Amino acid sequence: MSPALRRGRQGSPEGDSVPSEVYAVTLRIEGLVHGVYFRAGMLEEATRQGVAGWVRNSPDGSVEAFLEGGRAAVESVVSWAHRGPPRARVDSVNVKKADAASLKGFRIVG
């Protein structure tokens, strides 16, 4: 058996063509999260984890995000959001399960 078939996707013996389940959430992060490199930091973390989606500043001072990808990778970005970058002060993170949107890549949208 070839290494690709043994390894497969997410440990599946069927090979790399088997899609993994996509997990999606929306986030609303409150606290000192504007002007502290929060969106750029989330872009870096999501890219590092292979998570697709977007992040934006909200007029009320919070940050909103949509994340989708493998569950462990998404949860890693959510965990990062509870800390944020060094200059941030995160008071709360509201996480809601969402429908996947089949996005490619991660970007800052506002």
Side-chain angles (χ1 to χ4, degrees):
M1 182 179 278
S2 76
L5 285 177
R6 264 196 313 274
R7 186 177 58 252
R9 190 166 195 100
Q10 298 284 326
S12 169
E14 287 83 11
D16 289 337
S17 64
V18 176
S20 61
E21 184 177 331
V22 176
Y23 181 70
V25 297
T26 60
L27 302 178
R28 180 179 183 86
I29 303 108
E30 296 180 319
L32 177 59
V33 292
H34 283 200
V36 294
Y37 195 66
F38 201 99
R39 293 173 301 155
M42 181 173 278
L43 170 67
E44 289 178 3
E45 184 63 20
T47 300
R48 183 175 16 261
Q49 296 296 331
V51 170
W54 52 262
V55 62
R56 67 181 173 206
N57 280 342
S58 294
D60 67 1
S62 67
V63 167
E64 298 174 327
F66 173 82
L67 311 171
E68 69 179 8
R71 186 177 187 116
V74 169
E75 288 177 349
S76 181
V77 178
V78 170
S79 178
W80 178 91
H82 280 86
R83 296 182 309 275
R87 292 180 28 209
R89 185 196 74 239
V90 177
D91 294 335
S92 67
V93 179
N94 184 346
V95 182
K96 292 184 181 176
K97 190 158 172 37
D99 292 328
S102 300
L103 299 178
K104 302 290 184 212
F106 195 89
R107 62 191 181 118
I108 297 171
V109 296

